[in-house]
């Protein structure tokens, strides 16, 4: 199965993906940030891909085609601002200079609702569940449920 890890910077995408890949011994095709992030960040930064109606519809259409064709599991990673501020600081980066995480979260949620991913969306609040093995196991369990195992 294709598993797409989405979310803003410092949301835990890579760490969760790596734990999942270790747990499943790389049995799935994993991608970090894909069409969904393109739509969210184009909207956030008011890029032409979003402000131009035809281009915005094209981005949404591409996301819908991706879902319809491959039925991926989208793992949406996010964290509360306090945790993101800490993570940016640990990386030596200024949290205040980053895009507004609350707005990005809202845009991701709205996009996923529009796409109606249902069971193909796995929401992970990485600030609430720091146990990576539990997170990876939850993702693997969702895949088994989708496959009917």
């Amino acid at each position: 199965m294709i598993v797409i890890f989405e979310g803003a910077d410092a949301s835990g995408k890579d760490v969760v993906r790596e734990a999942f890949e270790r747990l499943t011994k790389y049995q799935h095709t994993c991608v970090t940030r894909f069409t969904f992030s393109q739509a969210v960040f184009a909207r956030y930064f008011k890029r032409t891909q979003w402000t131009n109606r035809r281009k915005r519809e094209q981005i949404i259409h591409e996301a819908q085609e991706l879902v319809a064709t491959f039925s991926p599991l989208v793992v949406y990673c996010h964290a509360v601002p306090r945790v993101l501020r800490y993570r940016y600081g640990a990386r030596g980066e200024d949290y205040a200079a980053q895009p507004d995480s609350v707005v990005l979260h809202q845009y991701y949620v709205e996009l996923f609702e529009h796409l109606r991913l249902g069971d193909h969306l796995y929401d992970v609040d990485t600030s609430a569940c720091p146990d990576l093995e539990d997170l990876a196991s939850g993702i693997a369990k969702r895949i088994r449920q989708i496959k009917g195992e």
Side-chain angles (χ1 to χ4, degrees), residues 2 9-10 19 23 27 37-38 47 50 54 56 61 69-70 79 82 94 106 111 113:
I2 296 174
D9 286 345
L23 176 74
Q27 294 175 350
S37 283
Q38 178 188 9
R47 295 179 179 145
W50 195 261
R54 188 176 53 77
R56 179 176 59 244
H61 176 74
T69 304
F70 298 105
R82 172 183 50 79
D94 181 13
Q106 175 187 340
L111 176 64
E113 286 175 354

Side-chain angles (χ1 to χ4, degrees), residues 8-9 44 76 78-82 84-85 88 95 98-108:
D9 286 345
Y44 182 84
Y76 173 51
H78 56 92
V80 297
R82 172 183 50 79
L84 293 174
R85 189 175 299 110
Y88 276 113
Y95 174 75
Q98 306 304 319
D100 185 329
S101 61
V102 174
V103 174
L104 288 176
H105 177 66
Q106 175 187 340
Y107 289 174
Y108 273 109

